[in-house]
mmCIF file of all heavy atoms in Angstrom:
data_model
loop_
_atom_site.group_PDB
_atom_site.id
_atom_site.type_symbol
_atom_site.label_atom_id
_atom_site.label_comp_id
_atom_site.label_asym_id
_atom_site.label_seq_id
_atom_site.Cartn_x
_atom_site.Cartn_y
_atom_site.Cartn_z
ATOM 1 N N LEU A 1 0.833 -1.201 0.000
ATOM 2 C CA LEU A 1 0.000 0.000 0.000
ATOM 3 C C LEU A 1 0.869 1.254 0.000
ATOM 4 O O LEU A 1 0.608 2.207 -0.753
ATOM 5 C CB LEU A 1 -0.921 -0.006 1.209
ATOM 6 C CG LEU A 1 -1.733 1.269 1.464
ATOM 7 C CD1 LEU A 1 -2.672 1.559 0.292
ATOM 8 C CD2 LEU A 1 -2.514 1.150 2.773
ATOM 9 N N LEU A 2 1.904 1.269 0.819
ATOM 10 C CA LEU A 2 2.792 2.427 0.889
ATOM 11 C C LEU A 2 3.501 2.651 -0.448
ATOM 12 O O LEU A 2 3.690 3.796 -0.873
ATOM 13 C CB LEU A 2 3.819 2.233 2.003
ATOM 14 C CG LEU A 2 3.261 2.210 3.432
ATOM 15 C CD1 LEU A 2 4.379 1.913 4.429
ATOM 16 C CD2 LEU A 2 2.586 3.526 3.778
ATOM 17 N N ARG A 3 3.873 1.569 -1.108
ATOM 18 C CA ARG A 3 4.518 1.708 -2.420
ATOM 19 C C ARG A 3 3.565 2.336 -3.434
ATOM 20 O O ARG A 3 3.986 3.132 -4.269
ATOM 21 C CB ARG A 3 4.992 0.338 -2.911
ATOM 22 C CG ARG A 3 6.228 -0.190 -2.190
ATOM 23 C CD ARG A 3 6.510 -1.608 -2.582
ATOM 24 N NE ARG A 3 7.736 -2.111 -1.967
ATOM 25 C CZ ARG A 3 8.065 -3.395 -1.923
ATOM 26 N NH1 ARG A 3 7.249 -4.304 -2.471
ATOM 27 N NH2 ARG A 3 9.191 -3.782 -1.355
ATOM 28 N N GLU A 4 2.283 1.968 -3.365
ATOM 29 C CA GLU A 4 1.296 2.548 -4.274
ATOM 30 C C GLU A 4 1.112 4.034 -3.985
ATOM 31 O O GLU A 4 1.012 4.848 -4.913
ATOM 32 C CB GLU A 4 -0.031 1.803 -4.125
ATOM 33 C CG GLU A 4 -1.106 2.224 -5.118
ATOM 34 C CD GLU A 4 -0.800 1.822 -6.549
ATOM 35 O OE1 GLU A 4 0.127 1.009 -6.756
ATOM 36 O OE2 GLU A 4 -1.482 2.330 -7.454
ATOM 37 N N LEU A 5 1.098 4.400 -2.714
ATOM 38 C CA LEU A 5 0.993 5.818 -2.343
ATOM 39 C C LEU A 5 2.223 6.592 -2.806
ATOM 40 O O LEU A 5 2.110 7.726 -3.269
ATOM 41 C CB LEU A 5 0.827 5.949 -0.831
ATOM 42 C CG LEU A 5 -0.512 5.450 -0.265
ATOM 43 C CD1 LEU A 5 -0.411 5.243 1.249
ATOM 44 C CD2 LEU A 5 -1.638 6.435 -0.589
ATOM 45 N N ARG A 6 3.379 5.961 -2.692
ATOM 46 C CA ARG A 6 4.614 6.612 -3.161
ATOM 47 C C ARG A 6 4.597 6.794 -4.677
ATOM 48 O O ARG A 6 5.047 7.822 -5.191
ATOM 49 C CB ARG A 6 5.831 5.785 -2.731
ATOM 50 C CG ARG A 6 7.163 6.408 -3.116
ATOM 51 C CD ARG A 6 8.332 5.658 -2.521
ATOM 52 N NE ARG A 6 8.400 4.286 -3.005
ATOM 53 C CZ ARG A 6 9.280 3.382 -2.567
ATOM 54 N NH1 ARG A 6 10.145 3.714 -1.613
ATOM 55 N NH2 ARG A 6 9.285 2.156 -3.045
ATOM 56 N N LYS A 7 4.072 5.824 -5.371
ATOM 57 C CA LYS A 7 3.977 5.908 -6.835
ATOM 58 C C LYS A 7 3.173 7.128 -7.268
ATOM 59 O O LYS A 7 3.496 7.781 -8.265
ATOM 60 C CB LYS A 7 3.326 4.643 -7.388
ATOM 61 C CG LYS A 7 3.004 4.689 -8.863
ATOM 62 C CD LYS A 7 2.222 3.458 -9.285
ATOM 63 C CE LYS A 7 1.724 3.597 -10.716
ATOM 64 N NZ LYS A 7 0.901 2.435 -11.141
ATOM 65 N N HIS A 8 2.136 7.476 -6.493
ATOM 66 C CA HIS A 8 1.289 8.614 -6.827
ATOM 67 C C HIS A 8 1.843 9.929 -6.280
ATOM 68 O O HIS A 8 1.156 10.961 -6.350
ATOM 69 C CB HIS A 8 -0.130 8.377 -6.298
ATOM 70 C CG HIS A 8 -0.900 7.368 -7.094
ATOM 71 N ND1 HIS A 8 -1.590 7.697 -8.233
ATOM 72 C CD2 HIS A 8 -1.070 6.028 -6.931
ATOM 73 C CE1 HIS A 8 -2.171 6.615 -8.735
ATOM 74 N NE2 HIS A 8 -1.863 5.590 -7.962
ATOM 75 N N ARG A 9 3.043 9.907 -5.723
ATOM 76 C CA ARG A 9 3.741 11.101 -5.246
ATOM 77 C C ARG A 9 3.000 11.810 -4.111
ATOM 78 O O ARG A 9 3.063 13.036 -3.997
ATOM 79 C CB ARG A 9 3.971 12.097 -6.388
ATOM 80 C CG ARG A 9 4.695 11.515 -7.600
ATOM 81 C CD ARG A 9 6.135 11.188 -7.304
ATOM 82 N NE ARG A 9 6.860 10.894 -8.528
ATOM 83 C CZ ARG A 9 7.100 9.667 -8.999
ATOM 84 N NH1 ARG A 9 6.650 8.609 -8.321
ATOM 85 N NH2 ARG A 9 7.781 9.490 -10.109
ATOM 86 N N VAL A 10 2.308 11.065 -3.272
ATOM 87 C CA VAL A 10 1.669 11.676 -2.106
ATOM 88 C C VAL A 10 2.407 11.305 -0.819
ATOM 89 O O VAL A 10 2.120 11.851 0.242
ATOM 90 C CB VAL A 10 0.182 11.270 -1.988
ATOM 91 C CG1 VAL A 10 -0.595 11.759 -3.193
ATOM 92 C CG2 VAL A 10 0.013 9.766 -1.811
ATOM 93 N N LEU A 11 3.358 10.388 -0.934
ATOM 94 C CA LEU A 11 4.064 9.888 0.238
ATOM 95 C C LEU A 11 5.479 9.495 -0.167
ATOM 96 O O LEU A 11 5.710 9.068 -1.304
ATOM 97 C CB LEU A 11 3.329 8.651 0.790
ATOM 98 C CG LEU A 11 3.762 8.103 2.155
ATOM 99 C CD1 LEU A 11 3.387 9.091 3.255
ATOM 100 C CD2 LEU A 11 3.072 6.763 2.414
ATOM 101 N N HIS A 12 6.417 9.678 0.769
ATOM 102 C CA HIS A 12 7.787 9.227 0.525
ATOM 103 C C HIS A 12 8.279 8.451 1.751
ATOM 104 O O HIS A 12 7.955 8.793 2.888
ATOM 105 C CB HIS A 12 8.727 10.404 0.271
ATOM 106 C CG HIS A 12 10.156 9.988 0.095
ATOM 107 N ND1 HIS A 12 10.608 9.347 -1.031
ATOM 108 C CD2 HIS A 12 11.233 10.102 0.924
ATOM 109 C CE1 HIS A 12 11.893 9.086 -0.913
ATOM 110 N NE2 HIS A 12 12.294 9.540 0.263
ATOM 111 N N PHE A 13 9.036 7.413 1.481
ATOM 112 C CA PHE A 13 9.683 6.670 2.562
ATOM 113 C C PHE A 13 10.862 5.923 1.975
ATOM 114 O O PHE A 13 10.946 5.688 0.762
ATOM 115 C CB PHE A 13 8.709 5.696 3.238
ATOM 116 C CG PHE A 13 8.215 4.597 2.334
ATOM 117 C CD1 PHE A 13 8.841 3.355 2.298
ATOM 118 C CD2 PHE A 13 7.116 4.799 1.512
ATOM 119 C CE1 PHE A 13 8.391 2.355 1.461
ATOM 120 C CE2 PHE A 13 6.654 3.796 0.669
ATOM 121 C CZ PHE A 13 7.294 2.571 0.636
ATOM 122 N N ILE A 14 11.784 5.549 2.827
ATOM 123 C CA ILE A 14 12.951 4.776 2.423
ATOM 124 C C ILE A 14 12.762 3.352 2.910
ATOM 125 O O ILE A 14 12.549 3.116 4.100
ATOM 126 C CB ILE A 14 14.245 5.384 3.013
ATOM 127 C CG1 ILE A 14 14.437 6.812 2.475
ATOM 128 C CG2 ILE A 14 15.450 4.523 2.656
ATOM 129 C CD1 ILE A 14 15.612 7.536 3.093
ATOM 130 N N GLU A 15 12.807 2.434 1.989
ATOM 131 C CA GLU A 15 12.592 1.036 2.362
ATOM 132 C C GLU A 15 13.806 0.498 3.111
ATOM 133 O O GLU A 15 14.946 0.697 2.707
ATOM 134 C CB GLU A 15 12.310 0.197 1.114
ATOM 135 C CG GLU A 15 11.023 0.586 0.419
ATOM 136 C CD GLU A 15 10.504 -0.502 -0.498
ATOM 137 O OE1 GLU A 15 10.638 -1.689 -0.123
ATOM 138 O OE2 GLU A 15 9.966 -0.164 -1.560
ATOM 139 N N GLY A 16 13.526 -0.166 4.219
ATOM 140 C CA GLY A 16 14.583 -0.769 5.014
ATOM 141 C C GLY A 16 14.051 -1.976 5.753
ATOM 142 O O GLY A 16 13.013 -2.539 5.393
ATOM 143 N N ALA A 17 14.752 -2.345 6.798
ATOM 144 C CA ALA A 17 14.344 -3.528 7.569
ATOM 145 C C ALA A 17 13.000 -3.323 8.250
ATOM 146 O O ALA A 17 12.296 -4.289 8.564
ATOM 147 C CB ALA A 17 15.411 -3.865 8.610
ATOM 148 N N ASP A 18 12.624 -2.048 8.470
ATOM 149 C CA ASP A 18 11.367 -1.763 9.167
ATOM 150 C C ASP A 18 10.208 -1.522 8.201
ATOM 151 O O ASP A 18 9.136 -1.070 8.623
ATOM 152 C CB ASP A 18 11.520 -0.546 10.076
ATOM 153 C CG ASP A 18 11.810 0.735 9.297
ATOM 154 O OD1 ASP A 18 12.219 0.641 8.118
ATOM 155 O OD2 ASP A 18 11.630 1.826 9.864
ATOM 156 N N ALA A 19 10.391 -1.810 6.911
ATOM 157 C CA ALA A 19 9.349 -1.547 5.922
ATOM 158 C C ALA A 19 8.058 -2.273 6.298
ATOM 159 O O ALA A 19 8.048 -3.482 6.500
ATOM 160 C CB ALA A 19 9.804 -1.987 4.531
ATOM 161 N N GLY A 20 6.977 -1.518 6.403
ATOM 162 C CA GLY A 20 5.689 -2.090 6.780
ATOM 163 C C GLY A 20 5.466 -2.141 8.274
ATOM 164 O O GLY A 20 4.347 -2.406 8.729
ATOM 165 N N ASP A 21 6.525 -1.868 9.068
ATOM 166 C CA ASP A 21 6.379 -1.839 10.524
ATOM 167 C C ASP A 21 5.662 -0.566 10.940
ATOM 168 O O ASP A 21 5.862 0.492 10.338
ATOM 169 C CB ASP A 21 7.763 -1.916 11.187
ATOM 170 C CG ASP A 21 7.674 -1.974 12.705
ATOM 171 O OD1 ASP A 21 7.481 -3.069 13.239
ATOM 172 O OD2 ASP A 21 7.802 -0.891 13.330
ATOM 173 N N MET A 22 4.852 -0.641 11.973
ATOM 174 C CA MET A 22 4.037 0.497 12.363
ATOM 175 C C MET A 22 4.864 1.686 12.840
ATOM 176 O O MET A 22 4.369 2.802 12.889
ATOM 177 C CB MET A 22 3.041 0.088 13.453
ATOM 178 C CG MET A 22 2.048 -0.979 13.010
ATOM 179 S SD MET A 22 1.091 -0.501 11.539
ATOM 180 C CE MET A 22 0.019 0.749 12.219
ATOM 181 N N GLN A 23 6.122 1.477 13.185
ATOM 182 C CA GLN A 23 6.956 2.580 13.667
ATOM 183 C C GLN A 23 7.797 3.219 12.572
ATOM 184 O O GLN A 23 8.524 4.180 12.834
ATOM 185 C CB GLN A 23 7.886 2.066 14.789
ATOM 186 C CG GLN A 23 7.144 1.488 15.983
ATOM 187 C CD GLN A 23 6.087 2.439 16.531
ATOM 188 O OE1 GLN A 23 6.347 3.628 16.716
ATOM 189 N NE2 GLN A 23 4.889 1.914 16.782
ATOM 190 N N MET A 24 7.692 2.730 11.334
ATOM 191 C CA MET A 24 8.527 3.280 10.271
ATOM 192 C C MET A 24 8.135 4.726 9.986
ATOM 193 O O MET A 24 6.981 5.130 10.153
ATOM 194 C CB MET A 24 8.415 2.424 9.005
ATOM 195 C CG MET A 24 7.095 2.550 8.247
ATOM 196 S SD MET A 24 7.063 1.587 6.700
ATOM 197 C CE MET A 24 8.293 2.453 5.717
ATOM 198 N N GLY A 25 9.109 5.515 9.567
ATOM 199 C CA GLY A 25 8.867 6.920 9.289
ATOM 200 C C GLY A 25 8.390 7.157 7.867
ATOM 201 O O GLY A 25 8.843 6.507 6.923
ATOM 202 N N LEU A 26 7.477 8.123 7.714
ATOM 203 C CA LEU A 26 6.922 8.487 6.417
ATOM 204 C C LEU A 26 6.978 10.005 6.262
ATOM 205 O O LEU A 26 7.012 10.733 7.243
ATOM 206 C CB LEU A 26 5.463 8.026 6.298
ATOM 207 C CG LEU A 26 5.143 6.561 6.619
ATOM 208 C CD1 LEU A 26 3.634 6.363 6.666
ATOM 209 C CD2 LEU A 26 5.788 5.639 5.607
ATOM 210 N N ALA A 27 6.957 10.461 5.027
ATOM 211 C CA ALA A 27 6.877 11.895 4.741
ATOM 212 C C ALA A 27 5.690 12.136 3.814
ATOM 213 O O ALA A 27 5.647 11.590 2.705
ATOM 214 C CB ALA A 27 8.168 12.399 4.104
ATOM 215 N N VAL A 28 4.734 12.926 4.264
ATOM 216 C CA VAL A 28 3.574 13.281 3.441
ATOM 217 C C VAL A 28 3.991 14.440 2.539
ATOM 218 O O VAL A 28 4.573 15.418 3.005
ATOM 219 C CB VAL A 28 2.371 13.690 4.306
ATOM 220 C CG1 VAL A 28 1.121 13.795 3.443
ATOM 221 C CG2 VAL A 28 2.148 12.698 5.443
ATOM 222 N N LEU A 29 3.680 14.337 1.247
ATOM 223 C CA LEU A 29 4.171 15.289 0.261
ATOM 224 C C LEU A 29 3.086 16.260 -0.194
ATOM 225 O O LEU A 29 1.901 15.950 -0.178
ATOM 226 C CB LEU A 29 4.721 14.537 -0.950
ATOM 227 C CG LEU A 29 5.816 13.506 -0.643
ATOM 228 C CD1 LEU A 29 6.228 12.780 -1.911
ATOM 229 C CD2 LEU A 29 7.020 14.166 0.028
ATOM 230 N N ARG A 30 3.496 17.416 -0.663
ATOM 231 C CA ARG A 30 2.597 18.489 -1.099
ATOM 232 C C ARG A 30 1.565 18.060 -2.153
ATOM 233 O O ARG A 30 0.408 18.513 -2.109
ATOM 234 C CB ARG A 30 3.449 19.656 -1.618
ATOM 235 C CG ARG A 30 2.714 20.749 -2.393
ATOM 236 C CD ARG A 30 1.707 21.479 -1.530
ATOM 237 N NE ARG A 30 1.027 22.528 -2.275
ATOM 238 C CZ ARG A 30 0.039 22.326 -3.142
ATOM 239 N NH1 ARG A 30 -0.388 21.107 -3.395
ATOM 240 N NH2 ARG A 30 -0.523 23.342 -3.768
ATOM 241 N N PRO A 31 1.890 17.166 -3.101
ATOM 242 C CA PRO A 31 0.896 16.784 -4.116
ATOM 243 C C PRO A 31 -0.376 16.145 -3.573
ATOM 244 O O PRO A 31 -1.364 16.044 -4.303
ATOM 245 C CB PRO A 31 1.672 15.799 -5.005
ATOM 246 C CG PRO A 31 3.087 16.257 -4.915
ATOM 247 C CD PRO A 31 3.243 16.678 -3.471
ATOM 248 N N VAL A 32 -0.383 15.725 -2.314
ATOM 249 C CA VAL A 32 -1.607 15.141 -1.759
ATOM 250 C C VAL A 32 -2.739 16.167 -1.746
ATOM 251 O O VAL A 32 -3.917 15.806 -1.789
ATOM 252 C CB VAL A 32 -1.367 14.589 -0.335
ATOM 253 C CG1 VAL A 32 -1.252 15.715 0.699
ATOM 254 C CG2 VAL A 32 -2.462 13.607 0.066
ATOM 255 N N MET A 33 -2.400 17.453 -1.726
ATOM 256 C CA MET A 33 -3.427 18.482 -1.664
ATOM 257 C C MET A 33 -4.274 18.536 -2.930
ATOM 258 O O MET A 33 -5.462 18.837 -2.874
ATOM 259 C CB MET A 33 -2.780 19.855 -1.426
ATOM 260 C CG MET A 33 -2.118 20.004 -0.063
ATOM 261 S SD MET A 33 -3.303 19.819 1.304
ATOM 262 C CE MET A 33 -4.327 21.265 1.040
ATOM 263 N N SER A 34 -3.677 18.229 -4.073
ATOM 264 C CA SER A 34 -4.449 18.243 -5.310
ATOM 265 C C SER A 34 -4.975 16.866 -5.675
ATOM 266 O O SER A 34 -5.869 16.740 -6.504
ATOM 267 C CB SER A 34 -3.605 18.800 -6.469
ATOM 268 O OG SER A 34 -2.453 18.012 -6.686
ATOM 269 N N PHE A 35 -4.428 15.822 -5.052
ATOM 270 C CA PHE A 35 -4.901 14.471 -5.360
ATOM 271 C C PHE A 35 -6.256 14.201 -4.729
ATOM 272 O O PHE A 35 -7.088 13.489 -5.284
ATOM 273 C CB PHE A 35 -3.886 13.445 -4.876
ATOM 274 C CG PHE A 35 -4.160 12.057 -5.379
ATOM 275 C CD1 PHE A 35 -3.944 11.737 -6.706
ATOM 276 C CD2 PHE A 35 -4.638 11.076 -4.535
ATOM 277 C CE1 PHE A 35 -4.202 10.463 -7.184
ATOM 278 C CE2 PHE A 35 -4.898 9.805 -4.999
ATOM 279 C CZ PHE A 35 -4.673 9.492 -6.332
ATOM 280 N N VAL A 36 -6.489 14.756 -3.549
ATOM 281 C CA VAL A 36 -7.761 14.588 -2.842
ATOM 282 C C VAL A 36 -8.470 15.934 -2.811
ATOM 283 O O VAL A 36 -7.906 16.924 -2.352
ATOM 284 C CB VAL A 36 -7.547 14.079 -1.404
ATOM 285 C CG1 VAL A 36 -8.877 13.966 -0.669
ATOM 286 C CG2 VAL A 36 -6.837 12.734 -1.412
ATOM 287 N N SER A 37 -9.698 15.966 -3.282
ATOM 288 C CA SER A 37 -10.446 17.223 -3.344
ATOM 289 C C SER A 37 -10.877 17.683 -1.951
ATOM 290 O O SER A 37 -10.967 16.891 -1.012
ATOM 291 C CB SER A 37 -11.683 17.058 -4.228
ATOM 292 O OG SER A 37 -12.624 16.218 -3.601
ATOM 293 N N ASP A 38 -11.158 18.968 -1.831
ATOM 294 C CA ASP A 38 -11.705 19.505 -0.586
ATOM 295 C C ASP A 38 -13.028 18.817 -0.246
ATOM 296 O O ASP A 38 -13.311 18.544 0.925
ATOM 297 C CB ASP A 38 -11.940 21.017 -0.716
ATOM 298 C CG ASP A 38 -10.645 21.804 -0.800
ATOM 299 O OD1 ASP A 38 -9.609 21.286 -0.345
ATOM 300 O OD2 ASP A 38 -10.667 22.923 -1.335
ATOM 301 N N GLU A 39 -13.826 18.538 -1.283
ATOM 302 C CA GLU A 39 -15.128 17.906 -1.055
ATOM 303 C C GLU A 39 -14.987 16.513 -0.457
ATOM 304 O O GLU A 39 -15.753 16.127 0.432
ATOM 305 C CB GLU A 39 -15.916 17.830 -2.370
ATOM 306 C CG GLU A 39 -16.392 19.177 -2.897
ATOM 307 C CD GLU A 39 -15.317 19.895 -3.701
ATOM 308 O OE1 GLU A 39 -14.170 19.388 -3.753
ATOM 309 O OE2 GLU A 39 -15.614 20.958 -4.262
ATOM 310 N N ALA A 40 -14.013 15.742 -0.939
ATOM 311 C CA ALA A 40 -13.810 14.395 -0.408
ATOM 312 C C ALA A 40 -13.408 14.446 1.061
ATOM 313 O O ALA A 40 -13.889 13.657 1.880
ATOM 314 C CB ALA A 40 -12.745 13.660 -1.218
ATOM 315 N N LEU A 41 -12.522 15.396 1.401
ATOM 316 C CA LEU A 41 -12.107 15.532 2.791
ATOM 317 C C LEU A 41 -13.273 15.982 3.664
ATOM 318 O O LEU A 41 -13.476 15.464 4.773
ATOM 319 C CB LEU A 41 -10.948 16.519 2.892
ATOM 320 C CG LEU A 41 -10.379 16.731 4.295
ATOM 321 C CD1 LEU A 41 -9.872 15.427 4.890
ATOM 322 C CD2 LEU A 41 -9.259 17.765 4.256
ATOM 323 N N GLU A 42 -14.051 16.940 3.176
ATOM 324 C CA GLU A 42 -15.203 17.423 3.945
ATOM 325 C C GLU A 42 -16.227 16.314 4.164
ATOM 326 O O GLU A 42 -16.805 16.194 5.242
ATOM 327 C CB GLU A 42 -15.849 18.601 3.212
ATOM 328 C CG GLU A 42 -14.994 19.867 3.252
ATOM 329 C CD GLU A 42 -15.500 20.931 2.297
ATOM 330 O OE1 GLU A 42 -16.546 20.688 1.648
ATOM 331 O OE2 GLU A 42 -14.856 21.988 2.186
ATOM 332 N N ASP A 43 -16.445 15.490 3.146
ATOM 333 C CA ASP A 43 -17.370 14.367 3.295
ATOM 334 C C ASP A 43 -16.861 13.366 4.325
ATOM 335 O O ASP A 43 -17.628 12.791 5.095
ATOM 336 C CB ASP A 43 -17.584 13.666 1.953
ATOM 337 C CG ASP A 43 -18.499 14.452 1.032
ATOM 338 O OD1 ASP A 43 -19.139 15.411 1.510
ATOM 339 O OD2 ASP A 43 -18.565 14.116 -0.158
ATOM 340 N N ALA A 44 -15.536 13.155 4.338
ATOM 341 C CA ALA A 44 -14.955 12.245 5.318
ATOM 342 C C ALA A 44 -15.201 12.742 6.735
ATOM 343 O O ALA A 44 -15.596 11.981 7.629
ATOM 344 C CB ALA A 44 -13.453 12.094 5.066
ATOM 345 N N LEU A 45 -14.983 14.031 6.948
ATOM 346 C CA LEU A 45 -15.203 14.604 8.277
ATOM 347 C C LEU A 45 -16.686 14.556 8.655
ATOM 348 O O LEU A 45 -17.030 14.291 9.807
ATOM 349 C CB LEU A 45 -14.693 16.041 8.297
ATOM 350 C CG LEU A 45 -13.178 16.223 8.094
ATOM 351 C CD1 LEU A 45 -12.828 17.699 7.955
ATOM 352 C CD2 LEU A 45 -12.415 15.596 9.243
ATOM 353 N N ARG A 46 -17.548 14.811 7.665
ATOM 354 C CA ARG A 46 -18.984 14.780 7.950
ATOM 355 C C ARG A 46 -19.430 13.370 8.330
ATOM 356 O O ARG A 46 -20.158 13.185 9.307
ATOM 357 C CB ARG A 46 -19.763 15.254 6.724
ATOM 358 C CG ARG A 46 -21.286 15.171 6.878
ATOM 359 C CD ARG A 46 -21.996 15.680 5.644
ATOM 360 N NE ARG A 46 -21.569 15.004 4.436
ATOM 361 C CZ ARG A 46 -22.022 13.795 4.081
ATOM 362 N NH1 ARG A 46 -22.887 13.155 4.843
ATOM 363 N NH2 ARG A 46 -21.599 13.239 2.959
ATOM 364 N N LEU A 47 -18.987 12.385 7.568
ATOM 365 C CA LEU A 47 -19.377 11.005 7.858
ATOM 366 C C LEU A 47 -18.779 10.526 9.177
ATOM 367 O O LEU A 47 -19.417 9.780 9.914
ATOM 368 C CB LEU A 47 -18.949 10.086 6.715
ATOM 369 C CG LEU A 47 -19.720 10.268 5.402
ATOM 370 C CD1 LEU A 47 -19.125 9.392 4.311
ATOM 371 C CD2 LEU A 47 -21.192 9.941 5.589
ATOM 372 N N ALA A 48 -17.544 10.964 9.456
ATOM 373 C CA ALA A 48 -16.936 10.594 10.734
ATOM 374 C C ALA A 48 -17.717 11.192 11.889
ATOM 375 O O ALA A 48 -17.911 10.571 12.933
ATOM 376 C CB ALA A 48 -15.483 11.054 10.774
#
């Protein structure tokens, strides 16, 4: 899943021995702002 997110340039990480471990570090990238619309985020908050 993380590799797919990285492919879409919304996330970056360096694969290592901890790949997939819950403590591994990730970097959220600026392109996520245009990949997900404001409406989708607002709907998520409303449904939550």
Side-chain angles (χ1 to χ4, degrees):
L1 172 62
L2 294 176
R3 286 172 177 166
E4 186 69 13
L5 291 163
R6 183 173 62 185
K7 172 186 172 183
H8 286 275
R9 305 291 191 263
V10 298
L11 190 68
H12 177 72
F13 64 94
I14 298 175
E15 295 200 37
D18 64 342
D21 183 84
M22 298 303 288
Q23 301 308 314
M24 73 177 293
L26 308 171
V28 191
L29 304 177
R30 167 64 179 78
V32 74
M33 293 299 294
S34 60
F35 191 72
V36 178
S37 69
D38 291 337
E39 291 84 354
L41 182 59
E42 289 168 3
D43 284 348
L45 296 173
R46 176 179 55 80
L47 290 175

